[in-house]
């Protein structure tokens, strides 16, 4: 009776074979619980021999590189597979969420978190043109550029470009604001009124000078 000195672990039952041959591995088998299978291990009672154990069947999809969403464009794993009993689950990384695959429909996977549709920004254009398009955590960053006459700080030599992306929290990164560049204070013209009076003009603004009575632009 081989099962007197052998066991199949916590998740299996040892059964002697009806016709023993004298070969230890052939003289008994293991009836494993659901989700477990027979595997061979070093014997705990005989040096150099093997013994049978019921161990958890590995349910994660293979190859593991493709499981739980695989790798993103940066080479990072979108999620890690965690083996269960008769099943598996995905531990998704930052910027990803767990959902079910379309096929097989019961399998878990990790997909990028959505941030929504990219909105247009005043006085700026995007490259690549992402305005009106959906962005998720896998979407590559895009660059907004201020249109001529605008900069991020309102100065003619100020920065004019800023990057945006969909973050791991499902929110867009902070957007810059393109401001009209300053042209400084308008010149004072003698014997003329400025309308409107302005201490500073910025791009697209203008003033009108009207000569005082008795004066003309050409001295007529």
């Amino acid at each position: 009776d081989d099962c007197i000195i052998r066991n199949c672990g916590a998740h299996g039952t040892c059964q002697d074979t009806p016709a023993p041959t004298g070969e230890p591995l052939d003289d008994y088998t293991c009836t494993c619980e659901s989700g477990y299978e027979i595997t061979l291990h070093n014997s705990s009672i005989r040096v150099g021999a093997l013994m049978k154990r019921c161990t958890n069947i590995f349910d994660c999809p293979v190859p593991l590189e493709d499981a739980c969403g695989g790798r993103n464009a940066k080479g990072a794993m979108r999620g890690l597979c965690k083996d269960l009993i008769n099943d598996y689950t995905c531990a998704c990384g930052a910027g990803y969420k767990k959902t079910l695959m379309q096929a097989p429909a019961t399998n878990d996977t990790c997909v990028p978190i959505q941030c929504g549709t990219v909105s247009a920004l005043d006085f700026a254009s995007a490259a690549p043109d992402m305005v009106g398009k959906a962005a998720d955590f896998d979407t590559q960053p895009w660059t907004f550029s201020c249109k001529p006459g605008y900069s991020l700080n309102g100065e003619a030599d100020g920065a004019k470009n800023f990057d945006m992306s969909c973050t791991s929290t499902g929110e867009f990164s902070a957007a810059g604001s393109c401001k009209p560049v300053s042209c400084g204070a308008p010149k004072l013209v003698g014997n003329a009124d400025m309308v409107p009076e302005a201490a500073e003009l910025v791009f697209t603004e203008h003033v009108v000078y009207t000569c005082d009575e008795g004066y003309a632009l050409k001295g007529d």
Side-chain angles (χ1 to χ4, degrees):
D1 189 341
D2 286 87
C3 288
I4 293 177
I5 59 173
R6 304 179 191 279
N7 67 78
C8 297
H11 302 284
T13 302
C14 180
Q15 290 183 328
D16 288 306
T17 56
T21 63
E23 290 293 332
L25 286 179
D26 295 334
D27 290 349
Y28 77 100
T29 188
C30 294
T31 301
C32 300
E33 297 174 2
S34 176
Y36 293 82
E37 63 183 350
I38 297 175
T39 54
L40 297 179
H41 302 264
N42 290 327
S43 175
S44 60
I45 60 176
R46 181 178 297 177
V47 177
L50 297 175
M51 62 190 304
K52 297 175 182 178
R53 281 284 188 272
C54 290
T55 55
N56 183 17
I57 297 172
F58 190 67
D59 296 297
C60 288
V62 291
L64 283 176
E65 285 282 307
D66 297 333
C68 296
R71 295 185 180 273
N72 59 22
K74 296 179 180 179
M77 293 294 294
R78 294 184 173 94
L80 297 177
C81 184
K82 181 180 179 182
D83 189 32
L84 303 175
I85 306 301
N86 284 323
D87 200 2
Y88 75 93
T89 188
C90 291
C92 300
Y96 298 92
K97 64 179 181 179
K98 187 172 71 172
T99 188
L100 294 179
M101 297 175 60
Q102 293 183 348
T106 57
N107 281 16
D108 285 348
T109 190
C110 295
V111 296
I113 291 174
Q114 300 279 336
C115 283
T117 302
V118 178
S119 299
L121 299 179
D122 292 338
F123 315 118
S125 57
D129 186 9
M130 286 294 298
V131 174
K133 298 178 181 178
D136 59 39
F137 185 66
D138 277 352
T139 303
Q140 294 299 304
W142 54 97
T143 300
F144 273 102
S145 299
C146 295
K147 294 181 178 180
Y150 296 85
S151 71
L152 295 178
N153 63 0
E155 298 179 5
D157 60 353
K160 299 175 177 62
N161 304 315
F162 60 92
D163 293 335
M164 287 193 67
S165 63
C166 175
T167 69
S168 62
T169 61
E171 299 176 344
F172 290 111
S173 59
S177 176
C178 293
K179 303 175 178 65
V181 298
S182 173
C183 296
K187 293 182 178 180
L188 294 176
V189 177
N191 304 310
D193 293 328
M194 180 197 304
V195 179
E197 292 186 5
E200 179 188 26
L201 290 179
V202 298
F203 181 62
T204 73
E205 291 182 338
H206 69 279
V207 295
V208 176
Y209 295 94
T210 303
C211 295
D212 293 341
E213 186 174 356
Y215 292 86
L217 292 177
K218 294 183 180 181
D220 294 336

